[in-house]
Amino acid sequence: MTTLPGLIHKRFCGGSLTSSARQSQGEDQKKLDILANEVFSNMLAKSGQCAALVSEENDDLVVVEEAYRGPYCVVMDPLDGSSNIDCGVSIGTIFGIYRAQPGSSGGLQDVLRPGKEMVAAGYCMYGNNCCMVLSIGSGTNIFTLDPSIGEFLLTSANIQIPSRGSIYSINEGNEKFWQSEVSRYVCECKHPSDGPPKSLRYVGSMVADVHRTILYGGIFLYPADSKATSGKLRLLYECFPMAYLVEQAGGMATTGTERILDIVPTQIHERRPIFLGSKEDVHRIEALHDPCHDS
């Protein structure tokens, strides 16, 4: 985690790290995406702790060679929000960790499991500072990189999301593609029956938007729509880790109809809708998805 901030800084000091190609999942793949994937994959493969790893940048699961194989399996988005590199927006690395099944040498059976079976999850955000938000199943904590010693120091312990927030976060450019439940929820945010309206804040980098939601409360919405009927965010290495962190901080994460962490994935790059954040706000979007709801 301490290596990547330097590589990102290099981009702003004359490096050429943002040229792009198209990856197999149909999305732009920046040069820095590839480099970040190589850095983390190589470090994990030689760590002695990892049996297998899944990355957004790899088509298939990678099994670590036997000499270096360890007890854990890592799923990751090596560089979330890389399309924002040139404009200086905070970007980050998202990861989740499973313990390999007893007797397993690393395979799909170790990672195609519900998010609630993860033993740890987190993200590292690269912005005006470098911080890592981490949970090992007993609360969510923030660690900040001290560049003078090259270590992450605990700066906020057991953070708690407010039960209700004043911010909603969604890409309103997709409004014409939304399902009716999402349209109604956003309308309620803007025109509540009582109290002030919620404020819209949307960065377009999941790490940045979720980080703000964890700190200030409110709701982050990335729904399915008529363009992406199954949702767009990847379940295994985007939705699961963020849902894990949010729940450990006292919040909620749902597809609208089911708890994110209860879902059993069938593919490593499977996509789902997600709504996460303050409990009261997420309860409301769930209520709107309830077919028995009529008010």
Side-chain angles (χ1 to χ4, degrees):
M1 292 296 183
T2 60
T3 303
L4 204 57
L7 295 175
I8 295 168
H9 178 71
K10 182 180 177 183
R11 164 66 189 96
F12 295 100
C13 296
S16 178
L17 296 172
T18 56
S19 56
S20 63
R22 190 66 99 177
Q23 45 112 292
S24 62
Q25 297 173 62
E27 297 187 358
D28 284 339
Q29 185 180 51
K30 303 289 186 181
K31 190 173 181 180
L32 191 55
D33 286 316
I34 299 169
L35 187 56
N37 187 52
E38 290 176 354
V39 167
F40 289 122
S41 296
N42 291 339
M43 293 177 73
L44 289 166
K46 302 295 184 183
S47 68
Q49 298 296 317
C50 188
L53 61 98
V54 170
S55 169
E56 180 185 8
E57 307 305 327
N58 298 334
D59 292 342
D60 302 309
L61 174 142
V62 175
V63 177
V64 174
E65 60 181 288
E66 187 174 359
Y68 295 101
R69 198 168 294 157
Y72 298 104
C73 298
V74 177
V75 297
M76 63 177 177
D77 180 350
L79 198 61
D80 171 72
S82 58
S83 61
N84 288 313
I85 292 171
D86 283 328
C87 60
V89 167
S90 294
I91 56 179
T93 299
I94 308 171
F95 62 91
I97 302 173
Y98 291 96
R99 186 181 292 275
Q101 304 274 29
S104 174
S105 57
L108 287 174
Q109 73 277 4
D110 295 309
V111 297
L112 293 181
R113 296 156 60 188
K116 63 187 177 185
E117 295 185 14
M118 285 182 169
V119 296
Y123 60 82
C124 194
M125 187 172 69
Y126 318 114
N128 63 330
N129 63 15
C130 178
C131 69
M132 180 164 56
V133 180
L134 176 68
S135 177
I136 57 172
S138 55
T140 297
N141 304 291
I142 301 179
F143 300 81
T144 303
L145 178 65
D146 183 342
S148 67
I149 59 174
E151 298 286 349
F152 284 92
L153 306 179
L154 178 64
T155 48
S156 297
N158 195 29
I159 54 177
Q160 293 292 301
I161 299 175
S163 61
R164 187 176 184 181
S166 60
I167 296 171
Y168 72 102
S169 182
I170 189 171
N171 183 357
E172 291 213 47
N174 289 326
E175 182 178 4
K176 73 174 185 177
F177 306 110
W178 290 346
Q179 297 168 344
S180 60
E181 299 88 352
V182 176
S183 295
R184 181 170 176 182
Y185 181 80
V186 172
C187 183
E188 290 181 2
C189 289
K190 295 178 178 180
H191 308 285
S193 58
D194 61 329
K198 292 184 184 295
S199 298
L200 170 65
R201 299 286 186 272
Y202 185 73
V203 175
S205 166
M206 188 184 191
V207 165
D209 284 315
V210 172
H211 190 69
R212 182 195 55 250
T213 303
I214 289 175
L215 292 180
Y216 302 147
I219 186 169
F220 170 81
L221 309 94
Y222 213 118
D225 57 30
S226 61
K227 290 193 306 178
T229 56
S230 297
K232 188 174 181 184
L233 296 181
R234 278 58 167 220
L235 179 63
L236 193 58
Y237 44 80
E238 291 176 323
C239 297
F240 275 173
M242 293 307 200
Y244 190 99
L245 291 167
V246 165
E247 285 201 6
Q248 286 293 321
M252 286 183 62
T254 178
T255 63
T257 58
E258 60 184 325
R259 180 188 179 214
I260 288 287
L261 294 180
D262 285 340
I263 300 170
V264 180
T266 58
Q267 302 173 17
I268 60 173
H269 299 298
E270 183 175 337
R271 300 173 191 256
R272 287 296 177 105
I274 188 169
F275 308 95
L276 62 79
S278 297
K279 277 189 174 180
E280 291 183 26
D281 296 318
V282 178
H283 274 310
R284 180 56 185 161
I285 193 73
E286 280 192 319
L288 291 172
H289 280 84
D290 185 344
C292 298
H293 177 80
D294 60 3
S295 63

